[in-house]
Amino acid sequence: MDKKEKLLVIIGPTAVGKTKLSIELAKKFNGEVISGDSMQIYRGMDIGTAKITPAEMEGVPHHLLDIRNPEEPFSVAEFQELVRKKITEITSRGNLPMIVGGTGLYIQSVIYDYRFSDAASDEHFRKRLEKKAQEEGNSEIHKMLSQVDPQGAEKIHPNNVRRVIRALEIYHCTGKTASQVQESQMPEHLYEEALIGLTMEREKLYNRINDRVNQMMEQGLLEEVKSLYQSGLKSCQSIQAIGYKELYDYFDEKNTLEDAVEQLKQNSRRYAKRQLTWFRNKMNVEWFDMTDVTNEAILHKKIEEISNYIEGKLEIKSNN
């Protein structure tokens, strides 16, 4: 059996401090970072997705940023394929692949051998649904999904027609929801991975999220979203991202700017809570608490603690 490739994964809720920590660890372990965020793939969506800047990268190579235009859809299966190729490329250079991000399903799809194409398919059924969506509207097939898989329907926007139809097709062929099919598989670990999770006392995390939203507004988030809005971009996957849909409501005159920003903060806090729940329930994570990291000296100690864990888990040495 071939030796498994080594992989470092750093996960955690939004605003917990993944970016800065990942750069320090990349420098210590000759790492290259692969974005594990489903929205940072989009060009022109920089401030709202908290995309790392070239200056913040400090020379560390980053992958899967700015690879799609905002009007293009992007699936978990595409992410899975692209990231697995990147892991092999980075390993072949003698460097350590590092997935950093907060989109749990995307990261899970890479490290476990879930075969999205294995579920039975029915082309005739799929074509029938595509026709129904065109003739009666996207909301009609989304209602169909709500009836058989309400939890799955909540996670998929009605305008993401391809995913809605795929979920219905899986149910049609197997009698099980997509998540039930996934859970019934016995996933194999494809990599020799160290799975690091960053967490933080909730009140402090929520304050950091609120501060981050204020900072995004100061950095020009309103102008970024306005540019997308004025380009005519509507009803597509990317605009459902937190930070964009709330400000779209403002431009659509459904909300005041003040209320839109407050909604953005609230949605970000709720998302952080959902992220933590997902990671704790779905993945075997080694957690590190960042609550008390208030200065560079404490951060350095935390990096040492995490580095020691990585060295033991992956049997590798750091540069210092």
Side-chain angles (χ1 to χ4, degrees), residues 133-147:
Q134 285 173 352
E135 291 175 352
E136 300 177 31
N138 299 343
S139 61
E140 286 307 306
I141 57 166
H142 193 263
K143 276 183 202 166
M144 289 172 64
L145 182 60
S146 297
Q147 288 165 3

Side-chain angles (χ1 to χ4, degrees), residues 7-8 34 125 162 188 215 299:
L7 174 67
L8 174 58
I34 303 167
F125 178 79
R162 187 167 63 166
E188 179 196 347
Q215 189 179 4
L299 176 64

Side-chain angles (χ1 to χ4, degrees), residues 199-201 204 289-295 297-299 302:
T199 186
M200 185 175 282
E201 189 273 321
K204 182 176 180 183
D289 194 331
M290 305 296 284
T291 304
D292 296 328
V293 177
T294 53
N295 59 46
I298 300 172
L299 176 64
K302 186 64 71 173

Side-chain angles (χ1 to χ4, degrees), residues 104-141:
L105 177 64
Y106 278 55
I107 295 169
Q108 189 185 36
S109 77
V110 171
I111 62 179
Y112 302 125
D113 192 16
Y114 288 117
R115 302 178 195 275
F116 288 94
S117 58
D118 278 1
S121 61
D122 181 337
E123 190 177 354
H124 177 69
F125 178 79
R126 188 164 63 244
K127 296 284 186 197
R128 194 150 45 90
L129 287 183
E130 286 169 358
K131 189 174 180 213
K132 185 179 177 72
Q134 285 173 352
E135 291 175 352
E136 300 177 31
N138 299 343
S139 61
E140 286 307 306
I141 57 166

Side-chain angles (χ1 to χ4, degrees), residues 25-36:
L25 291 174
K27 290 192 285 193
K28 283 176 86 76
F29 292 102
N30 297 321
E32 296 189 31
V33 173
I34 303 167
S35 170

Side-chain angles (χ1 to χ4, degrees), residues 86-99:
K86 284 292 175 193
I87 289 170
T88 299
E89 283 174 24
I90 294 165
T91 303
S92 72
R93 290 193 280 270
N95 293 336
L96 177 65
M98 298 170 55
I99 301 177

Side-chain angles (χ1 to χ4, degrees), residues 244-255 260 263:
Y244 296 85
K245 60 185 177 182
E246 296 86 0
L247 292 176
Y248 259 57
D249 281 349
Y250 164 65
F251 290 122
D252 282 334
E253 297 182 350
K254 295 176 184 175
N255 228 339
Q263 190 71 52

